[in-house]
Amino acid sequence: MAEETKRNGKPETSHHPETDPERGDKNYYGIPPIKRAHWTWQIYVYFWVGGIGAGSHLLTVIGHLLGWRDEAFFRTTKYTTLATMTISPVLLIWDLGRPERFLNMLRIVKLRSPMSTGSWALSLFGSMSGLVATKRAAEDGLLLGDNFLSRLAKLVPDRLVSVLALPLGLYVGAYTGILLIATSVPMWARNWLLMGPTFLSSAVSSGLSWTSLVLHLGNWGEGKTLGALKKAEKIVLAVEAVLIAASLVRMGKWSKPLFSKKLGPLFVGGTLVGGIAAPLVLLSGKETRNKSILASVLVLVGGFLFRYVMVVGGRESADDPESYFTFAKKDGGRPEAGSK
Amino acid sequence: MPGLGITLGRGGATGNLQDLQNSDAILIQGSNMAEAHPVGFRHPMIAKEKNGAKLIHVDPRFTRTSAMSDIYAPIRPGSDIVFLGGLINYVLQNERHFEEYVVNFTNAATLISEDFEDADATGLFSGWNEETQAYDPSSWRYEGQPIDHAPVGGSQGTLIGEAGEGQQHEMHDGRPRPNDQTLQHPRCVFQILKRHFERYTPEMVEKVCGTPKEAFEAVAETICENSGREKTTALCYAVGWTQHSKGVQLIRTAAILQLLLGNIGRPGGGIMALRGHATIQGSTDIATLYDILPGYLPMPDVAKPHDTWRDYVETETAKTGWLSNFPKYATSIMKAWYGENFDHEEGKLFEHFPRISGDHSYYPTIMAMKDREVDGAFVFGQNFAVGGPHARMAREALRSLDWLVVLDAYEIETATTWKMDGTDPKDCGTEVFFMPSGLVAEKDGSFTQTQRLLQWHDKSVEPPDDARSDAWFVYHLGRRIKKLYENSDDPKDDLIKALQWDYPTEGPYDEPDIESILKEVSGYEIESGRPVSGFADLKDDGSTACGGWIYSGAYADGVNQTRRRKPGDNPNHEWGWAWPADRRILYNRASADPEGKPWSERKKYIWWDEKESKWVGDDIPDFEADKPPSYRPEPGDEGMDAIPGDGPFIMNGDGRGWLFAPIGLKDGPLPVHYEPLESPVPNPLYFQQRDPALKVFPGRPDNPYNGPEDPRYPHVVTTYRLTEHHTTGAMSRWTPWLNELQPELFCEISPELAEEEGVSNTEWVTIETSRGRIHCKALVTDRIPTYKMDGRNLHTIGLPYHFGPNGIVTGDIVNDILPVSLEANVGIHEAKAFTANLRKGRV
Amino acid sequence: MATGFLTDTTVCIGCKACEVACKQWNQLPADGYEFTGDSYDNTKQLSGDTWRHVAFIENPKKKRLTGDVDLVALAEDVKEDLPNGAELDGLGRWTFMSDVCKHCVEAPCQQACPTGAIIRNEFDNVYIQPDVCNGCGYCVPACPYGVITSVPEDGRAFKCTLCYDRQIDGLEPACAKACPTNSIMFGEVEELEKVAEERVKQLHDRGYPQAFLYGTPEVGGTGGIKGNHSKFILMDVPETYNLPENPFLPQDKVAGATVASAVAATMIGAAVVWAFRG
Ligand SMILES: Nc1nc2c(c(=O)[nH]1)N[C@H]1C(S)=C(S)[C@@H](COP(=O)(O)OP(=O)(O)OC[C@H]3O[C@@H](n4cnc5c(=O)[nH]c(N)nc54)[C@H](O)[C@@H]3O)O[C@H]1N2
Ligand SMILES: Nc1nc2c(c(=O)[nH]1)N[C@H]1C(S)=C(S)[C@@H](COP(=O)(O)OP(=O)(O)OC[C@H]3O[C@@H](n4cnc5c(=O)[nH]c(N)nc54)[C@H](O)[C@@H]3O)O[C@H]1N2
Ligand code: SF4
Ligand code: SF4
Ligand code: SF4
Ligand code: SF4
Ligand code: SF4
Ligand SMILES: [Mo]
């Protein structure tokens, strides 16, 4: 115990670290100069679930645009969106300290607060995609036969609504990243340009993999659909890989937490290798159902871990005085003025 | 505070805190003013920031006060007399004293008897009696004074408060004393002083105090530069000086220094004795001590000719100086207490009045308790199970009582000794009555704080539940006792029966009306009931009653003067009321030169107005208002008539500040450096190791001492306060807001000691003395210097003493490892320097 | 009119009266009882329950005079006279700093808040409406000073109110009232700026060139958020006091990030379209 607290063989003192040559590093007793976000598991689970929902919706819209007729595909994407958009608010409200006041989120609109715009986007997108899915349910006879509600639901102009909902859906996929960068946490703030795009690409890749997984497991879906999904998965994963790589370059030394003892294995093994490289390899070879399933699972797990390490890495980043202080130097790593 | 009492005449701070704003330099030594008096410290800060005053802190630790100071000088605990002696020597050798002030206002010119022999290398003055271990002070007298003198001893009380009483009239019969105004005569006080302090050189200071010479010289130069006609330096101290085996002499050294520099009685000068508890000053003024009556009047004593009222009054009346008024004050007290039942001519009742029969001060009483010589005790507002030295012994003493009444707002350790120290409650025979007390906001009353200022506070809420004010408790207890003795015809009960105990009461619980008590303390004419306007109105013919002459006037004109609260410029006579007579700076006659003119425009305060033929200025003159500067007493003059017009120290029989104390102290007429009772080093200045008159208890195996240079206890411990807690922690350990700020006991040690013992910051250590051991965590800090003497590292262990087992935060009781020893004059313990060892871990 | 603080750390005596006064006035609980060993600082930082916090910066030996005892800090004007070229510095051996919400001119916490709980009140102070806050916690990582913090009980965010409840009654904040040395000055921001300017100049003249005002957009530090209404006179680099040198407004990047995401969305969408068609 004593040995650990000693430096250079001298007894540890109560002196301020900055001024005691024995103590070295510049900070106030190592106490974090900023406060980390409290976000617990609900948040990164939400980031993941919401991303799948956003990705799925993109597929719905593109499917419709391209005039696809694969009912299983649409069922999967639409019900996925419905389910994720039902779970997401639950998770978010759960995370609130005062859940009974969740409606206060919609008290005002604040364009510069991603939490505000995100809440709005989530509510609107959730409602709109809900309508689309309700129509689908009515068509599938899931609304307990032919009743008023199901007749009403069938009147929903689902294509129009889904197209209109698309920007909101995409925002739900991306804003989680923007939410992170609009903070003082160096690792996040430093990556302000690419965090949103990276989260979005991961949302889409997760949506693709989820849809592919469901169709494969259920032995549903047309071969053409499955082929298109596989191709899209590969492309989007590649985009994601590029974005993550660029993000890491951008983050520079402030990405340190991603490679910490705790998060490094998850990030490198889980996201980079397991969640991107391995699926790409699996999807590139000769196609088999099992390989596709495995690839999808890996992408989904990788996508989850990506969000996990980003959120938890942010904690470590916020806790590290050295990281924040170098970042908040005049000539330090903070985003250049003017690049809004 | 006889250090001040003997030297200047009154045992109180000479000025007020606000006046520190007028200082050009402030020497804070023996106090951690910023931490223990943070609000008062605003005035030095204003002096520093607004007026560019230099702040100096001399302390064994670099504290929050040091951090604010322009000069910090480290000092080994217990070596202050060397430091101050060094300053005196610096002043005298470089002739930096304020000559005119010194010649006229101090006894510098007075010749001392030929019999006097200074403490040479032995460290003992003439008159030391090896057998009785006491001084015979007759050789210290002024030349020409008779040898017979009142026995020194007995009523210590006078020493604590005033230098008056029996000492003075032996000294002076009105004739001018043999003196030498040129200060050249080898037996004049000035030359004696100069020779006495010669050995206190800067090199000696560096060696003994561990203060670097540069730092010492910077201090010396700064205070010299900032004293004199145009400038004044103030000095602040508190228990960093008093809690030593020679605390009184230490404070006297400071008073001598300030007299030499001409800093007493002048704005921005003076000696601020920073007093502790909210009304600790008040508690000595109105006499909670066993050996004084209110107003520092001597308690009747079996060892003195106090057999009858007449004897008592005659013995204690000073021939010259203010205390020639003693009969008026003593009679008025008796009248306040016993009214008609006291016959001031005969003083019959006085025969039953208690007399001091020995040392019944605090520690001897605790020891007597432990030895089962005391049956029961009342403890009001004190937690000595934690706060007194050798607290473990105090707790054993408490467990030896048959009954104990504790009146306190918290469940303090003093009330819970029956379950402490592993005691099985079944084995403890003490019946404890815990009475919940109200706290300050729950009662009316006044505080007398550090600058002798009485300030009134009104009750804002009723005490909760069964809690009652102390006054309620005492008043109703008194009533019940009186009732019990109503029909007794035993003469010894006459006093109880005669006591007037009938204050008006108010409210649902019959709380006594506190203002009526203030009125009694302030005094009134018995016939008319009219409040007196001050002690000048008091009579010895039985026509006035006054419970404490120094507070006389606090209720003048029937108005509670202590309630005044109008903000304003210092000295603000619209705020509270200061004793005596609402004077804010004492001895303020000294702010004018012998002719009565201000020493300088800048330091103008009180001066003689020729036209009006009286003293005028910003304050109430501390002098007879119409006595001109030119007044000289005639031979044979008595009372105040014996004080010349240029004698500002009116409480002293000769009107002078006493650089040399011809009488009144038990350990010498001049300060001498002795090592603390427990010290790791031999006394580098004298053969005499420790204060010769210090009272110790060699016969008590339960109170062992660590011998000097005992290798088992190589380090010096000093104890103190933290801003975040209060004294024994009785109140603060229950307050979460304070507890989070300082959550447990710790010791402060230097990195050097930490390295020697292999201790790191926040690690547990054990600190041990021959009384016991305590455990705490270490705070390793450079703020604790290591002192070097003769090539040896002397380490200091700093310990705040606020912790104990009760409360939200707890810690070992530091005072368990202190010894009990009693300073010769006031019987204070030595909490600021004793020896111990330190080991890593909890052993 | 905007009100704010000027905290002059050079006259702070570290008595923590402000910290306690704040807790008492606002009836805040203790944050725990931990002996940190970090000088006399056992509360460590601002939190949802600690809205004033006094930092203790304990400096070790700066200089060596004669022998091994070197704890001499001497007055500015005797500086030159010291032997061995010893550096003397009365201030700064043990420094105290009473930290508090900076009441940013463009407050990141306020911009982050989705519910509008954080407002600027009539005194232009950044104020949280506790009845509106829903405990989302988003303001917490937004604050560049680590001030605003969620409380464990219900996750709501709390911080200094600048004693809104006292100001509306014409009283000065509890912390400023309690401060014995006027280290905490409360008043109109413009007035305080003047006081600060003078004080800094005075410190420079006294031989402390390192003194500066923290919290203005011009001088060091707070360009991104256009300065603070609660400013500090510091004697050392900001990091010493756990303050960032140049904090930024995180929300400045929201627009850019959104555009980038839109571009990315288009490209990814196109890629998927392309894949689906192929
Ligand atoms: N916050 C707070 N304030 C208080 C109190 C409290 O408990 N808490 N208590 C009140 C009471 S009852 C009192 S009596 C006063 C006491 O007020 P102070 O006397 O100022 O308080 P202490 O902390 O006991 O000691 C003062 C300083 O003396 C130093 N010292 C120790 N030994 C020596 C020595 O040999 N020489 C010199 N020059 N200095 C030495 C210590 O290092 C310490 O810094 O404070 C009062 N104010
Ligand atoms: N080692 C070491 N020991 C020391 C000292 C030191 O420096 N070092 N300093 C010494 C000094 S200077 C002092 S003053 C003593 C202090 O020692 P104590 O006086 O024994 O300690 P306090 O904790 O102040 O005790 C005061 C008690 O009064 C109670 N109280 C407060 N208000 C009221 C009231 O209105 N009525 C009643 N009935 N009770 C009330 C409080 O709850 C508390 O229990 O400690 C001394 N002991
Ligand atoms: S506690 Fe009271 S007496 Fe002590 S400094 Fe504070 S205000 Fe003054
Ligand atoms: S310091 Fe932090 S909490 Fe205070 S106003 Fe600025 S951003 Fe908000
Ligand atoms: S925690 Fe409260 S104050 Fe903070 S951002 Fe959320 S709603 Fe606003
Ligand atoms: S202004 Fe009020 S709320 Fe803010 S720190 Fe001061 S006392 Fe606390
Ligand atoms: S009250 Fe004033 S002096 Fe005391 S710590 Fe707070 S800011 Fe400093
Ligand atoms: Mo005290």
Side-chain angles (χ1 to χ4, degrees), chain B residues 520-532:
Chain B
E520 178 185 296
V521 169
S522 171
Y524 56 93
E525 285 168 8
I526 292 172
E527 265 301 306
S528 60
R530 197 182 63 81
V532 298

Side-chain angles (χ1 to χ4, degrees), chain B residues 705-752:
Chain B
Y705 301 110
N706 305 339
E709 299 178 73
D710 187 330
R712 289 171 301 169
Y713 306 107
H715 313 309
V716 174
V717 179
T718 189
T719 62
Y720 45 85
R721 299 153 167 73
L722 301 167
T723 310
E724 296 86 342
H725 278 284
H726 190 70
T727 49
T728 72
M731 306 177 80
S732 56
R733 269 185 275 124
W734 296 99
T735 310
W737 297 322
L738 298 175
N739 294 339
E740 66 176 330
L741 301 177
Q742 290 294 3
E744 64 182 280
L745 175 65
F746 60 90
C747 66
E748 294 183 301
I749 56 173
S750 66
E752 291 81 1

Side-chain angles (χ1 to χ4, degrees), chain C residues 5 18-26 28 46 50-53 98-101 103 159-167 172-177 184 186:
Chain C
F5 284 127
C18 47
E19 198 169 324
V20 175
C22 178
K23 290 228 166 181
Q24 194 201 25
W25 178 258
N26 295 297
L28 300 171
L46 292 169
T50 301
W51 304 347
R52 266 265 173 203
H53 166 251
S98 178
D99 199 5
V100 70
C101 170
H103 292 279
K159 68 164 190 74
C160 161
T161 65
L162 230 154
C163 278
Y164 178 63
D165 50 349
R166 290 174 63 95
Q167 281 196 62
E172 71 176 316
C175 54
K177 180 87 192 165
I184 301 176
F186 166 80

Side-chain angles (χ1 to χ4, degrees), chain B residues 239 243 277 280 380-384 387-389 407-410 412 437-440 443 470 719-721 726-731 801 814-815 818 829 831-832:
Chain B
V239 300
Q243 290 169 356
H277 277 106
I280 194 82
F380 291 2
Q382 207 187 16
N383 188 18
F384 62 81
L407 187 64
D408 207 286
Y410 296 86
I412 53 173
S437 78
L439 284 174
V440 52
K443 56 193 183 188
D470 301 61
T719 62
Y720 45 85
R721 299 153 167 73
H726 190 70
T727 49
T728 72
M731 306 177 80
Y801 82 107
V814 163
N815 278 339
L818 255 75
H829 61 290
K832 293 292 186 254

